[in-house]
Amino acid sequence: MLEPRQKQRRGEKTRDKILKMALKLFSEKGYDKVTVDEIVSQTGTSKGSFYQHFSAKSDIFLVRFAEVDEYYSEVYQSFPKEMDATEKIMIFIRKLMNFLEMEMGKDLMKVIYSSALNSKEHTYFSDSNRSLFRIIQLLLEDAKEQGVITTEHTVEEMSTMLTQSMMGIIYYWGLHDTKQSLEELAMPLITTVMRGMKVEKR
């Protein structure tokens, strides 16, 4: 009989195997063309195992984005408290773009974006409680308290500007066959947006 800890480890391995295979298949074939039957067949698991770890196929993306948000939280917590808040925002966005390209990949991001547009199941892009959106708001609040960004707009308005810019860049990157990295594409626009928010020094 398996010990509880052994059962837990075996369950985690099965979950990770299903997650990785599902993401691979989504990247190669598109979300809508992959079935749960195909995922379990390719992983040598069962439907029972699948539904033990994921309530639906769409949960695969939710689990992956929870892992991504965990990385964002780690980046945010690594910043020294005394660092200039606008510098934190720029570093954070650089790391975000680099992570999406290196860890998620263009093919998967294209599938994620198209799935989010075509299905109401995928709500992570509009979930205001996501770590990503909360971190950007916290960074902007810090910048406002430091007096380095304008008070002309609310934090919510500025957060919307930044997230719209980032989503637009990711969409453009997915749409075009460019040799530029996602980070290289992103930073000129993000720099311009941030410059528009900064308080002019007299």
Side-chain angles (χ1 to χ4, degrees):
M1 193 177 211
L2 286 174
E3 294 289 328
R5 183 61 189 148
Q6 286 178 303
K7 282 182 78 173
Q8 185 183 341
R9 280 202 202 104
R10 192 172 73 173
E12 287 169 357
K13 277 187 177 180
T14 302
R15 173 189 168 279
D16 289 344
K17 188 198 288 190
I18 292 170
L19 180 67
K20 285 174 185 172
M21 179 54 70
L23 292 171
K24 180 176 181 289
L25 291 170
F26 293 162
S27 295
E28 292 171 353
K29 302 174 74 171
Y31 176 81
D32 292 331
K33 292 181 180 176
V34 177
T35 64
V36 171
D37 284 333
E38 184 176 7
I39 295 167
V40 299
S41 172
Q42 290 287 335
T43 52
T45 56
S46 65
K47 272 192 173 181
S49 291
F50 182 92
Y51 288 111
Q52 186 179 347
H53 298 287
F54 307 98
S55 62
K57 189 175 74 165
S58 57
D59 270 10
I60 298 286
F61 284 154
L62 292 176
V63 169
R64 187 61 177 127
F65 268 82
E67 294 173 352
V68 171
D69 280 355
E70 191 176 327
Y71 169 76
Y72 295 155
S73 295
E74 287 171 8
V75 172
Y76 173 69
Q77 288 162 15
S78 73
F79 289 132
K81 195 174 180 181
E82 65 278 5
M83 184 188 285
D84 178 275
T86 54
E87 188 180 346
K88 288 182 191 178
I89 292 168
M90 298 300 285
I91 293 170
F92 180 77
I93 293 174
R94 281 183 186 279
K95 286 184 176 287
L96 182 157
M97 294 297 173
N98 190 261
F99 184 87
L100 290 180
E101 181 168 9
M102 297 296 106
E103 298 298 323
M104 302 289 274
K106 183 182 278 193
D107 289 338
L108 183 58
M109 289 306 298
K110 284 162 76 171
V111 170
I112 289 169
Y113 264 58
S114 63
S115 299
L117 286 168
N118 294 324
S119 172
K120 291 181 180 178
E121 292 178 304
H122 309 293
T123 57
Y124 35 81
F125 282 131
S126 58
D127 184 1
S128 58
N129 290 315
R130 267 192 70 194
S131 289
L132 172 61
F133 301 134
R134 286 191 283 108
I135 288 167
I136 288 172
Q137 286 210 344
L138 286 169
L139 290 170
L140 287 166
E141 283 168 8
D142 287 347
K144 211 158 191 180
E145 282 177 20
Q146 289 177 7
V148 291
I149 60 172
T150 181
T151 56
E152 184 182 341
H153 300 288
T154 66
V155 166
E156 288 74 19
E157 288 170 339
M158 289 186 281
S159 177
T160 299
M161 289 178 206
L162 274 179
T163 52
Q164 284 175 341
S165 300
M166 289 189 289
M167 286 180 179
I169 291 158
I170 295 164
Y171 179 79
Y172 181 91
W173 172 67
L175 208 58
H176 293 82
D177 184 18
T178 173
K179 291 181 180 179
Q180 282 185 293
S181 69
L182 183 53
E183 181 186 337
E184 288 169 339
L185 276 173
M187 296 323 292
L189 176 57
I190 297 301
T191 301
T192 302
V193 172
M194 287 304 300
R195 192 180 295 132
M197 294 181 186
K198 280 190 174 183
V199 171
E200 289 185 20
K201 292 182 179 178
R202 296 182 182 181

